[in-house]
Amino acid sequence: MSRQELKVLLRELKKWSAPATVLLSLYVPEGRPVADVVNLLREEASISQNIKLKRTRDAVESAITGAIDRLTQITKIPQNGLVMFCGENFDTNEYKCYMFSPPEKVLVFFYRTDKFFHTEFLEDMVEDSDAFGLIIVERDQATIGLLRGSRIEVLEEFEGYVPGKHMMGGQSQRRIDRLIEEAYDHFLKEVGEKVNAYFVPIIEDKKLRGILLGGPGYAKEDFYKGDYVDYRVKKLILQPLYDLADQGEVGLRDMVIKASDILKEQKYIKVNNLMDEIKYHLAKDDGMVIYGINEIKKAIEMGAVDSLIVYDDPNNQELQNLIQKAESFGTTVYIVGSELPDAEWVGKTFGGAVGKLRFKLN
């Protein structure tokens, strides 16, 4: 199963829920004998006979039986392992049983029936594995975020209380200045603790490539120079530090754009650069932009489409087919959702897809 197919399936699975623990999730790593897994499920089917509520008992039994039926059709677990989701949607009375080998290796054996499908082991497989940490800090405000693929995620945005300077003179002024400095230092320590909590686990997973740090004033330098973060975090903070006017998502986006030279291989920057190129060619009306699903398909078959931006709509089968066709012809495809500012423009103005040509078509 490809990453895009898995992404679409995960969206579907997350819609399923049940009032009782009847939805079966099963992860089997390579090397586990199929017979052992089947025997485990048969034991679980036997135990399920003790469930008192008939509908719940029938639903659990149906899920387990479906999983056994699918497993007995294969002789060995695939190289990347095997994943199964079986169960009944109580809202629609729909029953489905999915069995597939994911795009990356299954590392754990996991079996459970629950009120929802356990998809958490697959989430990282549909995202770009590398990420960049994002920090905006000023004297009494901070934003912590993450850049992964084409998505900027605000992890936390918060404020502290650091009083402004008061001009009183004498002993009272020195005491107030000291209290202000203590409050400022306390806030930077709080920022550091939160940064560590978010980024250290990603560093330990070897998935954080670097950290961008910015802010509107001197606080970013104080934060960088001070002993506020884990040494592993500090090692990943990239230079330069960025002057920014805003906090929140707006500030994070501004910092990422300013760091485009550093992040030039990151999907977010590539998509934004391609979007700028498309707008440039549209303004010139030079025939180097292609849109309309049928027109794009014809151009792909001619080898004329260099790169393509497709709005992420898993319910649009035409777009899904277009993605597969483009990739099979070697076209670079960027699938974007609402995380990109211009994504809705692609969806509404161009019917979900727009591309840049390698050469002008007659």
Side-chain angles (χ1 to χ4, degrees), residues 194-206:
K194 290 179 181 290
V195 165
N196 289 339
Y198 283 115
F199 291 162
V200 168
I202 308 175
I203 292 171
E204 290 175 343
D205 284 344
K206 296 182 172 56

Side-chain angles (χ1 to χ4, degrees), residues 155-174:
L155 299 175
E156 189 165 350
E157 186 178 359
F158 56 98
E159 297 181 359
Y161 176 68
V162 181
K165 290 190 175 182
H166 298 269
M167 300 304 295
M168 296 184 66
Q171 295 283 344
S172 295
Q173 183 63 51
R174 286 193 292 274

Side-chain angles (χ1 to χ4, degrees), residues 137-187:
V137 61
E138 54 185 297
R139 67 191 305 272
D140 57 358
Q141 284 184 281
T143 303
I144 303 170
L146 199 65
L147 170 65
R148 198 195 301 268
S150 64
R151 188 177 79 248
I152 291 176
E153 179 183 359
V154 177
L155 299 175
E156 189 165 350
E157 186 178 359
F158 56 98
E159 297 181 359
Y161 176 68
V162 181
K165 290 190 175 182
H166 298 269
M167 300 304 295
M168 296 184 66
Q171 295 283 344
S172 295
Q173 183 63 51
R174 286 193 292 274
R175 183 175 64 84
I176 289 171
D177 288 345
R178 187 176 68 252
L179 291 174
I180 291 172
E181 286 303 310
E182 288 176 356
Y184 175 55
D185 182 66
H186 176 77
F187 178 68

Side-chain angles (χ1 to χ4, degrees), residues 199-325:
F199 291 162
V200 168
I202 308 175
I203 292 171
E204 290 175 343
D205 284 344
K206 296 182 172 56
K207 292 184 177 179
L208 198 68
R209 290 183 58 189
I211 297 170
L212 305 181
L213 173 60
Y218 56 81
K220 58 183 177 293
E221 284 87 5
D222 291 343
F223 184 75
Y224 177 71
K225 294 174 182 176
D227 189 22
Y228 295 112
V229 293
D230 186 287
Y231 74 96
R232 292 167 292 181
V233 172
K234 192 163 188 175
K235 281 171 58 178
L236 288 177
I237 296 178
L238 305 172
Q239 298 294 325
L241 308 184
Y242 295 93
D243 292 321
L244 304 169
D246 298 294
Q247 288 279 347
E249 186 175 354
V250 173
L252 296 181
R253 291 187 186 280
D254 185 27
M255 182 161 61
V256 167
I257 295 300
K258 286 186 175 183
S260 58
D261 286 346
I262 295 173
L263 303 174
K264 58 186 177 182
E265 294 304 313
Q266 199 71 7
K267 181 181 175 184
Y268 184 90
I269 296 300
K270 287 183 176 181
V271 174
N272 272 283
N273 288 343
L274 176 56
M275 196 75 77
D276 287 343
E277 285 187 64
I278 287 172
K279 289 178 181 178
Y280 170 77
H281 289 299
L282 284 172
K284 288 183 66 178
D285 193 22
D286 58 8
M288 292 300 290
V289 174
I290 187 80
Y291 51 88
I293 291 179
N294 291 331
E295 288 76 10
I296 292 173
K297 284 181 179 178
K298 292 175 185 176
I300 287 172
E301 291 170 356
M302 297 170 63
V305 182
D306 173 74
S307 44
L308 190 65
I309 297 176
V310 180
Y311 186 69
D312 189 6
D313 183 356
N315 297 318
N316 189 323
Q317 193 57 50
E318 276 194 306
L319 288 179
Q320 300 306 315
N321 292 338
L322 182 65
I323 292 168
Q324 292 179 4
K325 188 178 189 69

Side-chain angles (χ1 to χ4, degrees), residues 50-66:
N50 297 320
I51 298 173
K52 293 181 179 179
L53 292 175
K54 183 179 186 303
R55 187 172 185 197
T56 301
R57 182 174 66 248
D58 290 347
V60 172
E61 185 177 359
S62 178
I64 296 174
T65 301

